[in-house]
């Protein structure tokens, strides 16, 4: 019988639609994130709920370390600040991506079940939810993703989708976002006009059927950074995004939301 709680102990773990390696990757679990195991399947597959954003999918148990409930419940207090970060897991070297969270951190170490985490450099303190946002830091975090390849389901600087990009940037400023663009559009407060937009507002875009399928981070009232092909900066007007390289309109603006 599996314990119902675990922490991700590989740099990036695919979260799949079904219990198979060939199944679609619908999201990713990042090193240090907690999950709740809600179901099991043959060959070491477990259905999990990501503690951070509530997203559900199938993961390989080999990517997880089972932990007691008190470890799972412990808040994440720090994150890894570099584009890539070296850590030791039970004495073995591992490189993990920017923004991974740390639970139970003290004195350059953490204990997750049978895994001992050791760091060489001090991590950055994670702002508590609801803290005042430093827009200079938020912008610097967003720029660390610049030119990262678009990856369906991706949530890290080695490959990221549009909603994974803004979710991770906001996470490091203490603003929790849901996983998908359509979910994120239900959060925040509405900004009525693009001309009123400011750095940190999120713009959402819909498809011809009216379904929200894309999101980006506004830099001002005429520029947006978003993951489309790669993380890029493009002009935006009242109708939507125009690709800076081709001058072709790519996304139709639906709504702008403010979160701080």
């Amino acid at each position: 019988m599996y314990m119902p709680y675990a922490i991700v102990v590989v740099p990036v773990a695919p979260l799949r639609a079904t219990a198979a390696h060939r199944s679609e990757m619908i999201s990713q679990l990042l090193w240090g994130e907690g999950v709740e195991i809600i179901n099991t399947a043959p060959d070491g597959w477990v259905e999990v709920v990501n503690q951070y954003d509530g997203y559900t999918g199938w993961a390989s148990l080999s990517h997880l370390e089972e932990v007691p409930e008190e470890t799972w419940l412990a808040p994440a207090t720090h994150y890894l600040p570099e584009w890539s970060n070296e850590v030791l897991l039970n004495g073995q070297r591992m490189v993990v991506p920017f923004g991974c969270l740390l639970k139970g951190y003290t004195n350059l170490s953490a204990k997750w079940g049978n895994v001992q985490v050791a760091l060489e450099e001090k991590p950055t303190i994670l702002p508590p939810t609801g803290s005042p946002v430093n827009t200079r830091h938020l912008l610097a975090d967003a720029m660390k993703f610049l030119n990262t390849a678009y990856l369906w389901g991706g949530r890290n600087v080695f490959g990221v989708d549009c909603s994974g990009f803004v979710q991770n940037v906001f996470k490091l400023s203490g603003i929790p976002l849901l996983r998908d663009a359509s979910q994120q559009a239900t959060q925040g407060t509405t900004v009525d006009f693009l001309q009123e937009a400011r750095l940190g507002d999120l713009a959402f875009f819909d498809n011809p059927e009216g379904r929200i399928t894309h999101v980006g981070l506004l830099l001002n009232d005429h520029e947006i950074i978003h993951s489309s092909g790669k993380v890029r900066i493009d002009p935006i007007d009242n109708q939507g995004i125009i690709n800076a390289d081709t001058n072709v309109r790519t996304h139709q603006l639906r709504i702008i939301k403010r979160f701080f």
Side-chain angles (χ1 to χ4, degrees):
M1 178 67 180
Y2 295 120
M3 292 177 63
Y5 304 108
I7 290 180
V8 181
V9 290
V10 294
V12 181
L15 191 67
R16 300 196 179 276
T18 62
H21 288 292
R22 64 181 178 274
S23 176
E24 176 191 8
M25 186 179 77
I26 55 174
S27 189
Q28 291 176 331
L29 305 170
L30 303 182
W31 182 88
E33 285 187 324
V35 298
E36 182 178 5
I37 298 172
I38 59 173
N39 198 5
T40 62
D43 300 323
W45 287 95
V46 287
E47 189 176 18
V48 301
V49 180
N50 186 340
Q51 186 181 26
Y52 183 76
D53 59 20
Y55 221 65
T56 300
W58 289 89
S60 173
L61 192 61
S62 63
H63 298 164
L64 310 174
E65 173 66 22
E66 296 173 67
V67 296
E69 184 177 13
E70 56 267 27
T71 302
W72 182 80
L73 287 173
T77 57
H78 295 73
Y79 68 89
L80 301 184
E82 303 302 327
W83 202 81
S84 62
N85 304 266
E86 289 194 14
V87 301
L88 295 176
L89 261 66
N90 289 342
Q92 294 186 330
R93 178 179 174 273
M94 177 181 291
V95 177
V96 299
F98 169 61
C100 285
L101 302 178
L102 272 167
K103 287 174 173 283
Y105 168 78
T106 180
N107 297 326
L108 294 178
S109 67
K111 188 75 163 61
W112 301 338
N114 294 318
V115 168
Q116 182 68 45
V117 177
L119 308 180
E120 294 185 354
E121 303 289 339
K122 285 186 177 180
T124 300
I125 295 174
L126 183 70
T129 300
S131 301
V133 173
N134 183 320
T135 54
R136 182 172 59 87
H137 289 166
L138 182 139
L139 178 60
D141 291 338
M143 290 303 178
K144 285 191 176 181
F145 284 84
L146 197 62
N147 290 311
T148 292
Y150 178 88
L151 176 65
W152 178 268
R155 293 180 66 228
N156 74 96
V157 288
F158 302 116
V160 71
D161 64 21
C162 63
S163 53
F165 164 60
V166 298
Q167 185 193 53
N168 272 275
V169 172
F170 272 46
K171 174 182 72 178
L172 304 183
S173 289
I175 303 173
L177 292 182
L178 297 172
R179 178 60 183 94
D180 293 335
S182 59
Q183 298 172 321
Q184 294 168 355
T186 67
Q187 301 176 265
T189 59
T190 300
V191 177
D192 292 327
F193 302 103
L194 178 62
Q195 290 70 25
E196 298 173 351
R198 64 191 188 200
L199 172 61
D201 290 343
L202 295 184
F204 295 89
F205 307 84
D206 57 14
N207 63 12
E209 290 74 44
R211 188 167 62 90
I212 290 175
T213 57
H214 191 65
V215 61
L217 173 66
L218 287 166
L219 301 177
N220 46 54
D221 65 357
H222 60 276
E223 290 178 304
I224 189 169
I225 181 170
H226 63 129
S227 183
S228 179
K230 62 180 180 179
V231 177
R232 53 183 295 121
I233 297 173
D234 285 316
I236 183 173
D237 60 21
N238 288 321
Q239 294 183 51
I241 298 174
I242 301 169
N243 185 292
D245 299 325
T246 64
N247 207 37
V248 172
R249 188 173 300 282
T250 58
H251 297 87
Q252 182 71 36
L253 180 62
R254 170 72 172 271
I255 194 171
I256 298 170
K257 288 295 191 78
R258 180 164 294 164
F259 295 79
F260 60 90

